[in-house]
Amino acid sequence: EEAKQASLKRQTLKENLNILANIDEKSLDAQLKILNLALPLNKDFSGVLNSIYNASQKTGVDLGSFSLQIGDLLGTQEKDDFPTITLTIPINANVAGVSSFVETISKTVPLSEVTLIKIGDITSTIRLSFYYKSLGLSSYKEDARIVPLTQKGLSIIQELSSFENVSSFQQAP
């Protein structure tokens, strides 16, 4: 029995070595960078502000005054929970301007969700929730099988790489 388990472990390690030996490190690094832009590991305030201002500039809408409420920087979250940074932003735009802003921000990183839209005569209001996900404790086991990215996962990364502001983040040092 012990010999059988050792043989299975050796086979898994050989398969893992083969997978790791055939990975293009530059491509993997680029993919990881895109994923970290889309779903940061912490509260990425500069990413949030860049996303908002990028969408504002691209759509030509004027933003009203808004502020960030930082909250607990080290707050603990449930394992499967995706915490958010939520902002309420006044926008000086008509329905078309608000619609354009919402469409543009939905294609920027970090990932966000529009949770409220109020259209007014002069000023409209949008509530945005930007997602992030802290890494929990590692449950890595040396004899666990490494699973390469699926085609679906690669397609998602490719879609994220085409978002409005990804290239501006990638050019930054």
Side-chain angles (χ1 to χ4, degrees), residues 1-10:
E1 182 65 30
E2 209 174 292
K4 186 177 180 180
Q5 285 182 348
S7 177
L8 289 173
K9 183 176 179 178
R10 186 173 55 248

Side-chain angles (χ1 to χ4, degrees), residues 10-71:
R10 186 173 55 248
Q11 181 62 32
T12 299
L13 292 172
K14 282 182 183 179
E15 291 171 6
N16 288 349
L17 180 60
N18 185 42
I19 289 171
L20 293 173
N22 291 311
I23 287 178
D24 177 5
E25 285 186 48
K26 286 185 180 181
S27 175
L28 189 61
D29 284 343
Q31 292 167 343
L32 181 60
K33 187 170 185 177
I34 290 168
L35 292 172
N36 281 330
L37 288 171
L39 192 63
L41 298 176
N42 52 35
K43 294 180 178 183
D44 182 12
F45 298 110
S46 65
V48 166
L49 293 174
N50 284 332
S51 179
I52 292 167
Y53 288 120
N54 178 63
S56 171
Q57 287 180 335
K58 183 162 178 72
T59 58
V61 301
D62 291 326
L63 301 176
S65 296
F66 65 94
S67 62
L68 287 171
Q69 292 183 343
I70 294 174

Side-chain angles (χ1 to χ4, degrees), residues 93-133:
N94 58 16
V95 173
V98 170
S99 176
S100 179
F101 180 85
V102 168
E103 184 177 332
T104 301
I105 203 137
S106 73
K107 295 178 182 151
T108 63
V109 293
L111 296 176
S112 64
E113 178 180 21
V114 176
T115 58
L116 174 77
I117 300 174
K118 286 185 182 178
I119 305 292
D121 293 335
I122 298 171
T123 303
S124 300
T125 303
I126 297 175
R127 184 175 306 135
L128 292 167
S129 293
F130 288 86
Y131 292 96
Y132 66 98
K133 179 66 173 168

